Structures are given as structure tokens and as C-alpha cells.
Amino acid sequence: MNQEFKKTTFRDDYTFYNSPESIRRFPFPFWEDKYMYSVNIEPHVKGPAGSVYEFPIDINEHYVSEMADRAIVLKEDPLRCQALPHMMLAQWDFLELLMTSMARDYPQWFSLTTEGDHWHWINKPLGIDQKFTFGDPSTLPQEPMEYIGRQCQGDFSIQDQRDGQLWMDAGIITTQADWSLDFDVGMNFMEWHGPVPLAHDMKVFDRALKFLLNLQLGQPVRRLNWTMTINPRLDTSPENFHKWGSDRTTVTPENVGDKVHLRVELQALFRLPRSNAILFSIRGYLIKLRELVTVPKWGRRLPRVLGSLPMELIDYKGITRYRDTTLEWLAKYDDGQPTSPGGGPD
Amino acid sequence: MSGADIPVRVARVETVAERIKRIRFVPVDGRPLPTFSAGAHTVVTMRDGAKTIKNPYSLMGPLGDTTGYEISVLRTNNSHGGSQFVHEKLFEGAFVTISHPSNLFALDLRARKHLLIAGGIGITPIMAMADQLHQIGTPFELHYSTRTPSSGAYVDELKQRYGRKIHHYQTVSARRIDLANLLSQQPLGTHLYVCGPDVMIEDVLRLAREAGWPEQHLHAEHFTSPRGGLPFDVELAKSARTVRVKEDESILQALESAGLEPPYLCRGGACGQCETAVLSCDGNILHYDHYLTDEEKEQGRKIMICVSRIKGQRVTLDL
Amino acid sequence: MLVDGIKSRPQYPGLTADAFAKVHVFAADGDGAQAVIDLFERQGRDINGRVIVVYADTAPGAPDYASRLEALPVELVHCMPTVATAITRLVGVLNVARMGTRIYASGTETMIGLTVQLAQELGMDPATVITEHRGSRARRVQCVHCKGMTENVTTNIVTCAHCGLSLLVRDHYSKRRAAFQGVCVDAEVRGEIPEITEIFK
């Protein structure tokens, strides 16, 4: 990809949109025509060139705009980035993973040179040139997780592993789907997934946890998760729910295509080497329904999936108020033709 | 797991004490090895003629050295273990493969203080822990007991690095470690780590519990070497095959020799990766692992094939 | 927003004596004192070593718990007027404590929550604290919007004592904050508030 970075907004005037290329590579999360809950974990291995899976860390045309939005969120609410004191080692692991991946996979934008503990990082799109000592937090303007987290798309949480559990003891979370890092920091895997309906009874989290506890170094895994958002707002945090919640009542048959967005999270999990912690990268992708239906297969499939969603999940994902209007709008894109298996465009 | 193995060369073999050799591996392709966390181990795969030996060893450190990994191997009398091979046939220049490091004995970095206790060859993961704690500046003490002065590998090295934090004891002399006293003097928020012979681990954990330490603050390296026993047959339900498990091999080893690749991680009954469903068994399962709960062991529907065996003729597994 | 059956909801299995502990530190408020008294009756012979009780005397008109605690075979009872002062005293007691000290907490969820929070700050795993709920089911609620704590919440919905938003009290509980989560209930349509009921009595 050698596109220019877009200058768009995710708040106020909401100028965000996807280029045709960006639409084609959107990670459409539905593999079949009806909704199925599954853990769907697969190895996070290199995917086709140009796809969101090409590199472990995906940087795309929205990079500069998303980083600007993150800076606004952190300015208004510094608690969106927190690390408990025992997570410093994991913070350095995190910084190393991001800097080495970004510099290796996007050399036109990022560079990293190291000589022992003396590191030199250059981020051209954001105009950053930083020399620092690896392992010494006083040589960076912020703690390592915040420093590099402000320069990489996606939210990140870091899980400490103890007593057969994973504990969310650090994170930089500014684009979350309605959960609070400030409240959840320090919780274990079962506790922070507490509010998720249905899955506990299905033992989904027990199985997922058991799998993750044995996650191996150098063998990251990934899965997709999704929700829907009104307006291309990245900061759909509970902290600001009283500010954005009313957006859900603004959907009309006329504005569905521009207002309603499918929001997909590419969640990747990496074992971190020094700390034995696990990094969750939660890389969000937004797409307007008007953009989504330009891929005929997705236009056919989305209404079929939304129509088969259990009530508990509609409620949990906050779709209740605008589901019917959205389904009516989508109906005209479903001509009843069969769809091919898998999520990608035909 | 073999897909992720790293080919390495033996760069150095050094006798550091009675029956203990330190081995240094360096990557064949010269690319940096993964950084690892204190307490991590690697599974080393060695070829002894037609036989393949896979053994887990703790990584000693120094941490952050990505040019090579170091392990220490105690020569034991266990005929089927890898230690005899390592001591007699593993020379500088030999090629073996190692797994990516994984950790079942990690530090709890929330602790306000760490109490490290090692016996004999159990010093290896504890050395990496001391290195880590020294680097991040958290208070720690290391208490290390060995059979005789000359069997005490690494005492001088440790004393040089960490000074008075190192306490050395010789179990044959009168200077035995006064555990009860030691355990009663630690500030609230201390975590304890113990690695050494099974008997020692059990002793330390029992004394700590009796001193009122909560379970959550006790950590032990619970590697078990597969032990031999009577031979038996394993019937594999899915692949409709029968494999003989000989006296001196584990079920996992027998399956691997037969060309199968069941998942594994620690090969020491600790991680749970090789948990396998038992469909039927004409005798008793001998559970030697530290993973299954007592209740699960009682029920007899699961077996950890890396260490456990059966006392009987035939067991049918869901493989 | 779901409210019920959430897994982060703490469990309080009830006090049991740790027969191995060398020092027993009890933190209790209000009717939590009775849980301590009951434990001594039930398992007194298992409680060896020193015993220190920090008690927040917050049950007005209730039985004279302070003197009943004094009557137990304990070394010291610190009787404090409020939960906040009891926690401050507890810091003093635990700061110099050694491993082998067992911490117990009984009474309101607030008292238990703050004791567990303190234990964590002192490097103890939160699961090592032995807990029993007694008395009011009133909750300590953190407003997710302004982060303010509203104490003694008995109703769902509740008005945030700090920013004034109407909050739905979820069963989502944070041990670190020692609080339940409150989320604006009428964010979608301002003023559309479900009936307010007293449920945490």
C-alpha cells in the first residue's frame, strides 16, 4: 500500500470514509449467512499482500487520523491508559514488538536502529525522532506502553499470567466497544468478560482461557469480533456513553447507509518474551453500510446475519433501537441469491 | 510444536560441578534467539542413533542474551532419561533443535519481596529469576542448598553478582537451612519459589503452609521426569492403531516413535497441553502429573500422556 | 445493559479460621462483628497465635459489639467510628505485618472491598482474604463517567453524588476500585428512566 494518509475525523463533523481499496480489504466477519457464536481462533500468520492480515500490525490509510483522535481522547481522559506497577517489564516487551514489527513491515514510514540498549526510533508520518535507552523509562517522554501506543493503530491490553488465569493489568484503550479500562484494569479473564451474555454458559471462556494460557512465543493467534456503531465514532467508551448514547436514536430510513457502521475488531494475541504476559491487540475497522453494500456478497449476507441474531446479543451490542430500520434498508441488497463460503468478497 | 523448533549448535560444554554440565546452544542461522522470561524452559530434541530424546530444561540466563541459551544437566541414573546422552555423547559442535521457550514457573511481579529456594540442579531457573529481580530492583533472597561443597554449581558466580543476598548451605554439613525461622521473618507481600528434588519441594511447601503462608504465594517448579514401569498397549480410537509402550518410555514417546505427533509442551506433567481422553482402561491409570485435579484423577477419564502410565494390559485413548 | 448474573460479582463464602496462621487480623464493620463472634464460637480452637480486631462501629442501636469483641480471646480490639478510620488503622496494623498473617473481612461489601483493596496494595493476593457478608447490602458505586464514588447505594437507579447523572447499578464489580459500576441509564433518550426500586437492602 502506498496510499496517502487520509485526514478525516471520528467526531464532530465525522468526515471519515474508506477508499475503494480500503473497502475491499475490510475484514468482513461473517463466514456464513446466519449468526453463529464461536471463538474462531486461528494462527495469526501472514496473509495475502494488501490484506489486513499481511503483517502482524496493520497500518492503513487512517493511521494519522486515528492517532490524532487517540491524542484527543487521552488529553480529555488520561485514565484510558493505565498500567499497574508490576507491568513495566511487559510494557517494554510491548514497545519492542510494535517498533520491530512496524519498522520491518513499513520501512518507508518507520525505522528502528539499535545498538545494545541504545535505540533510535523514527516515525515519519507523525514526525517523531526519538533516541532512548531500552529498559529505562526516564529516557522516553511517556511510559513505554503509552509512548508507542500513541503511535500505533488499535487498542492494546496486556495480560499478566498468574495462578492459571490472565489478569488485565495494563492497557491503552481509546476506541473501545463500550467497556471501561479504568474499571476493568486488574480483573481476570472471567471477570472482565463478565458482562458478555450467553458465552459463559457455553463454556466458551473456559476453553478460550485454557488455550491462551498455553499460547506460545512466536505463535500469535487472532480472531474477529464485531459490533455496530452509529456515526464513525472511535471513542464509544462507557465513560462518554452519556454523550454518544443518544446517537442511537438518530437513525432514519434516509440516513442508515451513512450513519450505521459495522465495526470489526481484529483481535490478535501475542505471548510477550520477557514478562511472559500476553498482549491483546484490538485493531478496529469501521465501514459505513453504504460502503459495505458495494460488495454484493456482503449486502446479501449482512441482513441475513442481523435477522438471526439472538435478542440478548442485540441488546448487549446496543443495536435494539435501530435494528429494524437497518434491516429494512438492507433488505433491498438481498436478492436471495446464494453466497459463497468465507468472509471475503467474491 | 516441531514446526516452531529452532536448530542450534552446541557451542560449549563445561563441567561445573560433580555430575553437572553446563551447555551453551547458539542458533545455526545466526539470527537472534527469542528473549525469554525468568523461569522459562525449552524442550531439547536430540538424536541418539535411531532414538529421539526430547527433554525439557530450564533456561539459566543471562536474560536478554539472544546470541545463545544455557542449560545445566545433572547426570542421573535414570536409564531412559536424556542425561546420560548429554554427559556422554553431546559434544561441542553437535546439532540439536530446541523449542521456543515457554514458562510454567514465572515470577509474580506484584510481590514486594521474593524468597528463592533452590536445591542442587534446581538452581537453574532460580538463577534466571535472580538475574531478573536484580535487573528490576525488587528485593530478594536466594537460599541454595547442595549435597557437598563441590556439587554446588554456581555458588561463587552468584555470590559475586548478588553478594549477601546469596545464602549457601551444605546438606551434609551442620549448616542446614533453618526454614521455619526463615519463613517466619518475611514481610507481608512476599512470594516464595522453590525448585529442587521432589522431596525438598514437598518439604518447603509443607513448612510454608504450616507457617501460615497462603497457597497463592507459593510457587514450585513441578517438572516430573517420565518414569518407567511395566509395558502396556495403547489403542488409538480415531486412527484405529495399537502402539506398544515399553518399560523405559512414556506414552508420548511411544506415540512419537510410531510417527504420531500429539500436542505437548512441557513433557513434565505440568502444563496440560497433552491432556488426552481415556475411553477405556483394563487396569488403573497411574497419574504422575501435577496438572489434573484429584477429582479428575479419581474419575479416570483423562490422562497426561507425557508422564502418566497405566497398570494393566490395554488403554484406549481418544486419538 | 445486562445487570444480573455477571461473573465479576464477588462471592463471600463466609469466615473460616486459618489454623496455620500465626497472626489473625479481623476487619469488620457493623454486623460484621457478629461474624467474628460466631467464628470464635464455631472454630475458636483453630485460632492460634495473636488476634487483632479492627472494628468500625457503624451499627447504631445495635448490640454492644465492641465489648462483645473485647470479651473474645484477642490481643487487641481497635474500635473506630467509621469505615474510613478503620481502614486507616488497618494500614497501621498491616504495614509491619509478616507472612503468616491471615486477613479476614466481614460486614458490608464496602468494608470487605476496602480491606481486600488494602491487602492487594500490600502485595497480598486478593484471594487470600477470607470474607463474610453481614448486614446491609448497600453498594459502593463508581460512576463510570465522572469516576466519583457514591456510598451506601440501596436503589437501582441512583443519582451520582458527584455529577448528578442517573446511574444504572450493574453487577460488574472491580476489586481494585472496591466498587460496582454505575452507567448512565438514560443516555439514549434523556429522561427515559426505568422505575427506581430499592433492591440493595
Side-chain angles (χ1 to χ4, degrees):
Chain A
M1 291 197 306
N2 55 357
Q3 82 284 317
E4 294 293 309
F5 294 112
K6 286 199 165 51
K7 282 276 170 63
T8 59
T9 57
F10 301 92
R11 56 182 67 225
D12 307 320
D13 57 352
Y14 294 115
T15 59
F16 166 87
Y17 71 97
N18 286 297
S19 67
E21 187 191 26
S22 183
I23 294 173
R24 293 285 300 177
R25 73 196 295 274
F26 185 81
F28 188 72
F30 304 115
W31 263 249
E32 52 192 331
D33 283 357
K34 83 182 197 313
Y35 179 76
M36 291 285 289
Y37 190 92
S38 69
V39 182
N40 61 48
I41 296 177
E42 59 175 358
H44 190 32
V45 291
K46 197 174 177 68
S51 76
V52 298
Y53 306 119
E54 182 176 7
F55 302 120
I57 300 291
D58 181 43
I59 303 294
N60 72 0
E61 63 184 14
H62 304 300
Y63 175 66
V64 172
S65 307
E66 287 189 22
M67 293 302 96
D69 196 74
R70 167 158 295 161
I72 298 171
V73 173
L74 289 173
K75 194 171 165 188
E76 290 176 353
D77 182 2
L79 296 177
R80 302 295 187 86
C81 177
Q82 293 189 47
L84 299 185
H86 63 275
M87 297 301 280
M88 186 49 82
L89 201 58
Q91 288 199 44
W92 287 109
D93 275 332
F94 169 63
L95 174 138
E96 178 186 51
L97 175 69
L98 262 52
M99 283 190 178
T100 52
S101 309
M102 291 162 79
R104 180 191 63 224
D105 299 331
Y106 302 97
Q108 67 275 40
W109 300 324
F110 310 104
S111 99
L112 177 69
T113 41
T114 62
E115 208 186 304
D117 293 341
H118 298 286
W119 288 36
H120 184 192
W121 168 248
I122 298 172
N123 177 335
K124 288 182 201 156
L126 298 185
I128 292 169
D129 185 315
Q130 178 79 44
K131 290 181 175 146
F132 63 99
T133 306
F134 187 86
D136 180 357
S138 70
T139 59
L140 284 173
Q142 294 104 12
E143 286 197 350
M145 179 182 70
E146 177 173 356
Y147 178 76
I148 196 61
R150 283 174 175 269
Q151 300 180 48
C152 188
Q153 285 172 282
D155 281 352
F156 299 93
S157 72
I158 310 180
Q159 280 61 230
D160 196 19
Q161 181 163 337
R162 310 186 294 268
D163 298 328
Q165 258 295 354
L166 295 174
W167 305 83
M168 183 159 46
D169 288 346
I172 176 165
I173 308 284
T174 63
T175 69
Q176 70 269 48
D178 205 11
W179 62 279
S180 167
L181 172 75
D182 178 52
F183 195 76
D184 288 3
V185 70
M187 287 189 190
N188 71 34
F189 191 78
M190 295 302 165
E191 291 169 344
W192 90 70
H193 282 117
V196 182
L198 303 177
H200 286 282
D201 294 337
M202 294 159 63
K203 302 250 179 244
V204 166
F205 294 121
D206 301 78
R207 286 199 299 271
L209 175 62
K210 199 166 181 182
F211 176 82
L212 292 178
L213 289 172
N214 276 335
L215 185 68
Q216 291 303 288
L217 205 53
Q219 297 176 53
V221 296
R222 66 178 174 234
R223 67 179 290 251
L224 295 178
N225 197 10
W226 68 278
T227 187
M228 298 187 91
T229 302
I230 304 309
N231 295 327
R233 172 186 273 277
L234 287 175
D235 175 22
T236 48
S237 60
E239 275 82 356
N240 285 330
F241 183 48
H242 57 308
K243 297 176 185 164
W244 60 264
S246 60
D247 292 356
R248 288 175 176 168
T249 63
T250 61
V251 179
T252 64
E254 293 71 40
N255 67 17
V256 169
D258 295 306
K259 271 224 177 255
V260 181
H261 290 70
L262 180 62
R263 181 198 156 95
V264 172
E265 292 176 354
L266 167 54
Q267 304 178 341
L269 299 115
F270 303 82
R271 173 72 67 191
L272 297 177
R274 292 171 185 75
S275 57
N276 199 43
I278 289 182
L279 171 69
F280 280 24
S281 78
I282 310 159
R283 174 72 164 87
Y285 298 86
L286 284 170
I287 190 168
K288 295 173 195 304
L289 292 196
R290 189 179 300 291
E291 294 169 342
L292 184 130
V293 298
T294 61
V295 176
K297 172 177 163 182
W298 298 348
R300 288 184 189 109
R301 183 169 289 171
L302 186 61
R304 298 175 191 177
V305 173
L306 277 186
S308 64
L309 206 59
M311 266 322 291
E312 292 93 331
L313 280 174
I314 293 172
D315 208 29
Y316 171 68
K317 291 179 188 281
I319 302 170
T320 321
R321 281 184 199 271
Y322 58 88
R323 173 179 169 266
D324 291 348
T325 315
T326 304
L327 273 176
E328 277 162 34
W329 185 86
L330 281 169
K332 58 181 169 288
Y333 297 97
D334 184 3
D335 54 10
Q337 294 294 308
T339 56
S340 61
D346 285 320
Chain B
M1 326 281 97
S2 54
D5 275 2
I6 305 166
V8 292
R9 181 171 53 80
V10 176
R12 196 171 67 227
V13 179
E14 183 189 352
T15 302
V16 289
E18 250 178 66
R19 301 191 297 141
I20 296 178
K21 280 188 174 176
R22 164 153 63 180
I23 320 256
R24 181 176 175 82
F25 299 119
V26 297
V28 170
D29 63 8
R31 288 171 52 195
L33 293 170
T35 317
F36 63 90
S37 51
H41 70 269
T42 184
V43 175
V44 181
T45 304
M46 299 164 279
R47 306 276 312 170
D48 183 8
K51 198 173 154 198
T52 300
I53 303 167
K54 286 172 187 271
N55 272 7
Y57 295 103
S58 293
L59 294 167
M60 300 166 59
L63 295 167
D65 177 5
T66 56
T67 64
Y69 284 167
E70 294 189 7
I71 62 168
S72 286
V73 182
L74 170 72
R75 184 180 182 133
T76 63
N77 298 323
N78 186 338
S79 65
H80 63 274
S83 75
Q84 287 195 0
F85 175 82
V86 169
H87 276 258
E88 288 167 14
K89 299 182 188 165
L90 197 64
F91 299 113
E92 287 175 14
F95 291 94
V96 299
T97 61
I98 57 172
S99 68
H100 275 70
S102 66
N103 198 334
L104 298 165
F105 188 40
L107 288 165
D108 189 328
L109 293 171
R110 296 171 306 165
R112 292 206 297 182
K113 181 183 172 183
H114 302 264
L115 182 62
L116 310 178
I117 300 177
I121 195 67
I123 190 66
T124 54
I126 300 284
M127 281 183 80
M129 288 178 163
D131 188 10
Q132 182 69 78
L133 296 171
H134 179 69
Q135 277 183 35
I136 60 178
T138 311
F140 75 93
E141 284 174 31
L142 197 170
H143 297 261
Y144 179 19
S145 66
T146 55
R147 257 177 0 103
T148 58
S150 64
S151 64
Y154 310 120
V155 176
D156 293 342
E157 213 172 307
L158 286 164
K159 282 194 167 164
Q160 209 165 32
R161 270 187 239 152
Y162 313 118
R164 289 164 62 182
K165 289 181 171 140
I166 306 302
H167 306 260
H168 181 225
Y169 310 84
Q170 289 153 29
T171 42
V172 293
S173 79
R175 251 202 100 218
R176 289 185 69 154
I177 177 167
D178 183 355
L179 277 170
N181 196 32
L182 184 67
L183 290 164
S184 70
Q185 290 172 349
Q186 302 305 319
L188 204 66
T190 304
H191 279 254
L192 178 154
Y193 308 81
V194 56
C195 187
D198 279 350
V199 184
M200 177 197 185
I201 292 178
E202 294 317 318
D203 266 1
V204 170
L205 293 181
R206 181 177 48 78
L207 285 167
R209 286 178 193 118
E210 285 171 10
W213 286 56
E215 222 40 61
Q216 291 86 348
H217 287 238
L218 304 178
H219 312 270
E221 178 71 294
H222 267 313
F223 272 144
T224 307
S225 301
R227 38 187 128 174
L230 296 171
F232 56 94
D233 284 328
V234 174
E235 192 179 320
L236 307 170
K238 281 185 192 149
S239 48
R241 288 179 62 181
T242 300
V243 174
R244 182 81 172 162
V245 180
K246 296 194 285 255
E247 289 94 334
D248 63 349
E249 62 183 3
S250 66
I251 301 177
L252 178 61
Q253 287 164 342
L255 296 181
E256 285 173 339
S257 300
L260 287 113
E261 289 183 345
Y264 70 83
L265 218 50
C266 74
R267 302 181 82 88
C271 75
Q273 188 75 6
C274 71
E275 178 186 306
T276 305
V278 176
L279 301 178
S280 70
C281 177
D282 70 1
N284 299 320
I285 302 176
L286 304 170
H287 292 286
Y288 294 131
D289 63 279
H290 293 277
Y291 180 79
L292 295 176
T293 62
D294 288 346
E295 199 186 352
E296 285 171 320
K297 288 181 182 175
E298 189 82 11
Q299 287 168 348
R301 288 201 285 270
K302 294 173 181 172
I303 187 169
M304 310 309 297
I305 57 173
C306 64
V307 290
S308 299
R309 310 179 68 83
I310 69 151
K311 191 180 171 197
Q313 299 303 312
R314 197 175 188 82
V315 60
T316 308
L317 301 180
D318 190 21
L319 281 174
Chain C
M1 294 276 175
L2 293 181
V3 183
D4 299 320
I6 288 180
K7 304 289 177 192
S8 56
R9 183 92 170 77
Q11 308 275 316
Y12 308 110
L15 297 189
T16 49
D18 175 354
F20 288 128
K22 305 299 172 234
V23 181
H24 305 259
V25 175
F26 290 90
D29 73 336
D31 294 329
Q34 190 62 49
V36 179
I37 295 161
D38 290 349
L39 176 70
F40 270 83
E41 221 161 79
R42 211 168 50 236
Q43 256 192 297
R45 71 172 70 173
D46 290 333
I47 304 174
N48 307 301
R50 300 170 56 205
V51 179
I52 298 168
V53 181
V54 179
Y55 178 56
D57 195 357
T58 54
D64 183 6
Y65 283 131
S67 37
R68 292 177 58 194
L69 289 169
E70 298 270 9
L72 297 174
V74 302
E75 180 179 308
L76 197 56
V77 177
H78 297 274
C79 190
M80 311 303 291
T82 59
V83 168
T85 51
I87 294 295
T88 305
R89 180 58 53 95
L90 196 58
V91 173
V93 171
L94 292 176
N95 256 338
V96 292
R98 291 180 174 181
M99 291 304 287
T101 303
R102 177 63 77 169
I103 305 169
Y104 305 79
S106 57
T108 61
E109 290 199 87
T110 300
M111 184 71 200
I112 296 171
L114 292 173
T115 303
V116 171
Q117 189 184 40
L118 174 61
Q120 280 195 92
E121 282 164 15
L122 296 171
M124 293 306 291
D125 190 284
T128 63
V129 181
I130 300 175
T131 59
E132 179 163 339
H133 181 261
R134 289 276 179 123
S136 163
R137 303 204 77 87
R139 293 181 170 187
R140 187 167 187 257
V141 174
Q142 186 187 39
C143 172
V144 75
H145 311 289
C146 76
K147 308 297 180 189
M149 294 289 180
T150 302
E151 306 283 346
N152 290 315
V153 174
T154 58
T155 59
N156 205 356
I157 312 308
V158 65
T159 302
C160 174
H162 304 265
C163 69
L165 286 174
S166 295
L167 303 177
L168 173 79
V169 182
R170 305 171 82 193
D171 263 358
H172 200 29
Y173 182 85
S174 163
K175 290 195 188 83
R176 275 188 68 249
R177 303 269 171 245
F180 290 86
Q181 188 176 51
V183 182
C184 180
V185 73
D186 58 342
E188 295 190 1
V189 181
R190 198 48 54 90
E192 195 176 274
I193 296 174
E195 195 188 344
I196 298 175
T197 50
E198 186 166 23
I199 56 172
F200 313 125
K201 278 184 279 198

